[in-house]
Amino acid sequence: MNDKKLTTRAADFSAWYNETVLRAELADYSPVRGCMVIRPNGYGIWERMQRALDDMFKATGHRNAYFPLFIPESFLHKEAQHVEGFAPEAAVVTHGGGKLLEEPLVVRPTSETIIYSMFAKWVQSYRDLPILINQWANVVRWEMRTRLFLRTLEFLWQEGHTAHVTHDEAEAETRMILGLYRTFMEEGMAMPVITGLKSESEKFAGALRTYSCEAMMQDNKALQAGTSHNLGQNFAKAFDLKFQSESGSMEYAWNTSWGVSTRMVGGLVMTHGDDNGLRIPPKLAPTEVVIVPIWKSEDERARLLEAAGQVKQALTTWGGRGDDRLRVHIDAREGMKPGAKYYEWELVGVPLRLELGPRDLANGSCMAARRDTREKASLSLDGLPETVSALLATMQGDMLRAARERREANSIREAISYDRFKEVMEGDGAFVYAGWNGDPAVEAKVKEETKATIRCIPEPEFVTQGAATTCMVTGEPAKHTVIWAKAY
RNA sequence: CGGGGCGUAGCGUAGCCCGGUAUCGCGCCUGCUUUGGGAGCAGGAGGUCGCCGGUUCAAAUCCGGCCGCCCCGACCA
């Protein structure tokens, strides 16, 4: 038994995931059941996700704010569907300062209630709208079964909350954010997603409509990677969020809320990881390039470390990407063979490794190894920053392309019988595009029989085979073409 | 909460049936030799055997109770 090797994805995908997260030091189990510690390697990825998204939110007119962790229990009860959805998994504080509280406080599972209660104070006129707020926060949901990053009792996320004058404006916001998430996931995470509408049974508790980004993991299961909700006037009515319109009438505001979480880190692992560990797309990699100097003698060690320092200097001071400087680390550890370092950095997922030894130095070159393909090539030290930058950009694109090809290879777009569908779901699984008559009972039956659910009613651009005409289960006329899959 | 499994060094484990103060591997520390794909040798440190109680001259081992964790279900970003 060689415990240096990870369990392979083919042997046990779930075990592979856990080992990869733990051994790449993204996270660790905490003393509290169902909670996790996010370690620097994992938090560094989250920070880069935050930075990219935060810039996008700001660019579209949103501003950050912060609302309290504690919510009066009564707030949760003001919207009927909302309480039904979240009360069962609420953590409730009953004591403070050694005394029983007059009203219990719920640790936020999401912040609609407290935020819209505040919006109600701030809005009198249509001129006060829209309000475009985002907050970065932790939330708590008392889940029965947990998994690192994918489902923990406490997780980090951002939640956007907006209020608008009209339904259409709120709908446009909801859709705009959905597109923003998609752009980030595809261009930043190199993780292709399908955007679409959630069915009634899968929509957010209290929403009019929920849209989501659905990604396919390497076990062909779907991961809901982000959601954007048009809340209609449900919360505005519950919290008396009203404004006087231009014509003088009193109207309830139209709200949206939307969020992505540290779950995306899990999605990143399950989208790009291989049997050697993590593969981080360059844009999200805290370290894009690791330099491994190689030496034999003490004399060589001094020379190579100096040369490595110069290479790092050349890379990090290069301004070809503007303010976005290349992120470079030198692995100068002694007493560790180069091969051992290679395996370690591959496990951690650093996109590009530059090996620099006496032979390379003599040639004025270095050996570059791509993490995504594990291909090696000799690169001239002349113009290295340009070469490296271009290579990283190529890798970013290649990783997205490879992930998209994998998804399509495991999608079923042609008509399929329900019997065949059951076989697929019992076997390798897939994203199955099929007709649905729109009946929630059919959805429930399929879930009961196969564990697959409707991931979304995809936007038209994803339905490349043309809309389905009949329901896969009943044979009745199809109301929608939907994507069926097992999900995390 | 229902069904199954497991708690022994930082991690992974043997020992338990058949009682005698704990095995092996990885990791860690020191020294020397190494360093272009997971180094070798030598020496060393590290343990309330999940917790409480019982039986016994003696408990990791047998008995009772409790706690925790993992997997499968119900619930879910």
Side-chain angles (χ1 to χ4, degrees):
Chain A
M1 260 264 287
N2 186 352
D3 66 345
K4 286 176 177 174
K5 287 257 194 296
L6 289 167
T7 299
T8 62
R9 291 163 296 169
D12 185 343
F13 191 76
S14 188
W16 167 84
Y17 174 79
N18 285 332
E19 286 175 26
T20 300
V21 168
L22 292 170
R23 300 234 330 245
E25 298 184 357
L26 298 184
D28 202 353
Y29 292 108
S30 82
V32 181
R33 178 197 78 85
C35 294
M36 68 170 175
V37 175
I38 305 177
R39 303 182 68 179
N41 286 350
Y43 203 80
I45 295 171
W46 175 238
E47 284 181 308
R48 292 204 58 79
M49 289 177 166
Q50 281 186 300
R51 190 179 304 181
L53 286 165
D54 201 64
D55 287 347
M56 294 170 89
F57 298 149
K58 301 266 174 63
T60 47
H62 303 85
R63 295 196 297 167
N64 286 332
Y66 188 78
F67 296 79
L69 171 69
F70 298 124
I71 298 176
E73 193 177 42
S74 58
F75 279 36
L76 213 57
H77 291 263
K78 290 191 179 182
E79 211 288 330
Q81 290 172 11
H82 195 64
V83 66
E84 197 182 312
F86 285 104
E89 54 187 37
V92 182
V93 178
T94 56
H95 289 73
K99 282 192 273 188
L100 185 68
L101 299 176
E102 278 190 33
E103 180 180 357
L105 297 171
V106 171
V107 180
R108 62 181 165 219
T110 179
S111 302
E112 276 77 9
T113 57
I114 197 159
I115 290 182
Y116 301 137
S117 75
M118 295 307 296
F119 280 12
K121 284 178 70 174
W122 301 336
V123 173
Q124 277 87 44
S125 156
Y126 72 94
R127 291 195 178 88
D128 297 325
L129 297 174
I131 302 182
L132 306 172
I133 290 284
N134 177 63
Q135 89 165 345
W136 292 96
N138 59 338
V139 286
V140 169
R141 299 181 185 178
W142 217 263
E143 305 286 357
M144 305 305 282
R145 282 189 64 194
T146 57
R147 297 201 60 191
L148 294 169
F149 286 111
L150 303 175
R151 183 166 297 106
T152 46
L153 297 197
E154 179 191 9
F155 58 92
L156 305 183
W157 76 347
Q158 61 69 216
E159 48 181 325
H161 293 274
T162 68
H164 306 265
V165 171
T166 66
H167 166 274
D168 289 357
E169 196 183 311
E171 178 69 9
E173 167 80 4
T174 311
R175 301 294 298 256
M176 186 276 287
I177 292 294
L178 184 72
L180 184 156
Y181 284 159
R182 179 185 176 184
T183 300
F184 168 72
M185 288 170 192
E186 298 193 335
E187 292 180 9
M189 297 174 68
M191 180 175 81
V193 294
I194 288 161
T195 52
L197 183 67
K198 284 291 189 184
S199 68
E200 280 299 299
S201 71
E202 297 271 337
K203 79 175 186 187
F204 178 76
L208 205 58
R209 281 187 287 281
T210 290
Y211 297 93
S212 74
C213 296
E214 302 285 333
M216 183 193 277
M217 304 295 102
Q218 290 184 64
D219 58 356
N220 296 343
K221 285 169 76 174
L223 184 77
Q224 179 175 302
T227 48
S228 185
H229 316 291
N230 184 336
L231 302 175
Q233 294 175 307
N234 294 342
F235 286 90
K237 286 175 180 168
F239 290 92
D240 208 31
L241 170 49
K242 289 186 293 199
F243 63 92
Q244 191 163 24
S245 72
E246 205 170 353
S247 64
S249 61
M250 293 303 292
E251 308 281 350
Y252 287 109
W254 298 82
N255 294 116
T256 82
S257 71
W258 27 275
V260 294
S261 72
T262 39
R263 175 180 248 203
M264 288 192 296
V265 178
L268 192 76
V269 173
M270 291 194 293
T271 296
H272 297 302
D274 67 15
D275 291 344
N276 297 303
L278 204 53
R279 300 191 303 167
I280 309 176
K283 284 187 183 173
L284 292 182
T287 299
E288 292 172 286
V289 179
V290 62
I291 302 171
V292 180
I294 300 158
W295 63 78
K296 284 193 171 66
S297 63
E298 270 304 296
D299 184 49
E300 273 180 353
R301 191 178 80 89
R303 276 203 305 134
L304 267 300
L305 283 179
E306 195 195 336
Q310 286 167 1
V311 170
K312 177 180 176 178
Q313 176 80 1
L315 291 171
T316 55
T317 57
W318 181 66
R321 291 199 320 202
D323 290 338
D324 179 24
R325 296 306 164 104
L326 286 162
R327 300 180 294 281
V328 183
H329 174 73
I330 298 175
D331 187 349
R333 286 176 294 179
E334 292 183 50
M336 195 172 172
K337 295 182 78 170
K341 294 181 179 179
Y342 301 167
Y343 278 101
E344 188 174 307
W345 291 113
E346 284 174 8
L347 176 63
V348 170
V350 171
L352 192 66
R353 179 179 72 240
L354 297 180
E355 307 167 8
L356 192 62
R359 291 206 297 269
D360 303 297
L361 210 53
N363 297 333
S365 67
C366 64
M367 191 59 75
R370 287 174 62 155
R371 178 61 184 91
D372 61 337
T373 59
R374 301 186 91 212
E375 290 165 351
K376 280 192 176 192
S378 180
L379 302 182
S380 170
L381 293 179
D382 289 334
L384 189 66
E386 288 84 349
T387 317
V388 163
S389 175
L391 189 52
L392 291 170
T394 300
M395 290 172 63
Q396 183 81 30
D398 287 353
M399 290 179 77
L400 174 61
R401 202 168 305 116
R404 185 171 277 135
E405 280 167 13
R406 172 176 58 74
R407 183 189 70 191
E408 289 309 310
N410 292 288
S411 295
I412 296 176
R413 292 171 175 278
E414 59 274 17
I416 183 174
S417 71
Y418 186 42
D419 283 342
R420 175 72 191 129
F421 176 84
K422 285 183 191 166
E423 287 173 18
V424 169
M425 288 305 160
E426 264 175 44
D428 291 340
F431 276 17
V432 175
Y433 292 70
W436 175 48
N437 66 357
D439 182 358
V442 166
E443 194 180 6
K445 171 186 151 87
V446 174
K447 183 175 184 180
E448 169 83 28
E449 292 177 353
T450 69
K451 292 187 184 146
T453 51
I454 293 176
R455 298 323 305 155
C456 69
I457 301 164
E459 298 194 274
E461 68 170 285
F462 297 103
V463 188
T464 53
Q465 85 286 19
T469 53
T470 59
C471 174
M472 172 181 74
V473 180
T474 67
E476 294 167 8
K479 209 171 199 172
H480 307 286
T481 299
V482 300
I483 295 175
W484 295 94
K486 287 192 198 170
Y488 276 94

